[in-house]
Amino acid sequence: MHREYEAAVNAWWRFANLVTSEQSTLDQLAGCLCEAHEAWGRFSTSVAAVAGPVAAAKAAEQLRVAMYDWHR
């Protein structure tokens, strides 16, 4: 699960870096967003396998709120 967590965090940081770069293209952003989404899917699946779906849903909601706050 730790590997999936690191992959998800790294993918979101790569996406954040592209979003804040004026040189980023739409294709780069789209590809990086897909990568981050897939990494999050692998991480949430591994969390659900260990902690159960309710705990995974609570963790996902916390991340969603944090990302929404960051976006604003």
Side-chain angles (χ1 to χ4, degrees), residues 2-70:
H2 190 262
R3 250 178 279 169
E4 289 86 357
Y5 170 77
E6 285 183 351
V9 169
N10 290 336
W12 280 111
W13 274 113
R14 281 191 294 280
F15 180 70
N17 288 334
L18 278 176
V19 166
T20 58
S21 172
E22 292 182 12
Q23 289 81 28
S24 299
T25 67
L26 289 176
D27 287 340
Q28 288 174 318
L29 289 167
C32 200
L33 182 58
C34 286
E35 177 191 346
H37 184 268
E38 290 170 7
W40 171 251
R42 288 188 300 274
F43 171 67
S44 63
T45 299
S46 68
V47 169
V50 173
V54 173
K58 287 180 182 178
E61 178 62 10
Q62 289 174 344
L63 179 61
R64 186 196 66 77
V65 169
M67 292 178 69
Y68 177 77
D69 290 344
W70 173 73

